[in-house]
Amino acid sequence: LQWLRNPGPQHEKRTLFGDMVCFLFITPLATISGWLCLRGAVDHLHFSSRLEAVGLIALTVALFTIYLFWTLVSFRYHCRLYNEWRQTNQQVILLIPKSANVLSNQQSLLGLQPLKRNSKETIV
C-alpha cells in the first residue's frame, strides 16, 4: 500500500493513474465493440456477403489483439516500476520485545549461560 501512496516521481504517478483510467474505460468499450462486430459478422453471414463477415471477424481479432497487447505491456511496465521501487525503498523496522526474558535470551544467544541438553542428539 505504501507504493500506491508514494510510488516515486510524479511522472510514475501520472502514468499509473492514466493507465488505470484508460483500463477502466477501454475494457467495456473493447468488449462492446467486439460483441457488435461479431454480431454484425453473424448477420452478414446469414443475410449478405461473406466477405463483409470475414472483415468484421478480422476487425474483432485485431481489436482484441491490440487490447491484450496494451494490457500486457502496461502491466509489465508497472510491475517493473514496482520491483525497482521495492529494491530502492526498503524500509526496515526494528522491533524490540518488551518481555522480561529479553536479557536471558540475549545471554543465552551470546553463550554466557551453559545450555543443557538431555537428549543424545549432537548439533552439527
Side-chain angles (χ1 to χ4, degrees), residues 4 10 19 27 30 32 42 47 62 70 81 96 102 124:
L4 290 176
Q10 283 297 112
D19 283 346
T27 300
I32 292 169
V42 168
F47 300 116
W70 173 79
L81 284 180
I96 300 174
V102 173
V124 180

Side-chain angles (χ1 to χ4, degrees), residues 2 24 26 30 33 37 61 70-71 81 93 100 109 113 117:
Q2 184 181 4
L24 290 175
I26 290 175
S33 298
C37 285
V61 169
W70 173 79
T71 303
L81 284 180
I93 299 172
L109 288 175
Q113 293 178 351
R117 298 215 181 261

Side-chain angles (χ1 to χ4, degrees), residues 1-17 78 80-86 88-89:
L1 292 177
Q2 184 181 4
W3 180 69
L4 290 176
R5 281 185 253 136
N6 187 13
Q10 283 297 112
H11 173 71
E12 292 176 6
K13 288 180 185 179
R14 284 193 303 264
T15 304
L16 178 63
F17 180 73
H78 291 295
R80 186 178 55 85
L81 284 180
Y82 173 70
N83 287 332
E84 287 175 7
W85 176 85
R86 194 174 63 177
T88 58
N89 293 307

Side-chain angles (χ1 to χ4, degrees), residues 11 14 32 35 50 58-59 70 74 78 90 105:
H11 173 71
R14 284 193 303 264
I32 292 169
W35 181 77
R50 292 182 182 213
L59 181 64
W70 173 79
S74 178
H78 291 295
Q90 294 182 3
N105 287 340

Side-chain angles (χ1 to χ4, degrees), residues 59-71:
L59 181 64
T60 304
V61 169
L63 174 73
F64 283 122
T65 302
I66 292 169
Y67 172 75
L68 288 175
F69 179 75
W70 173 79
T71 303

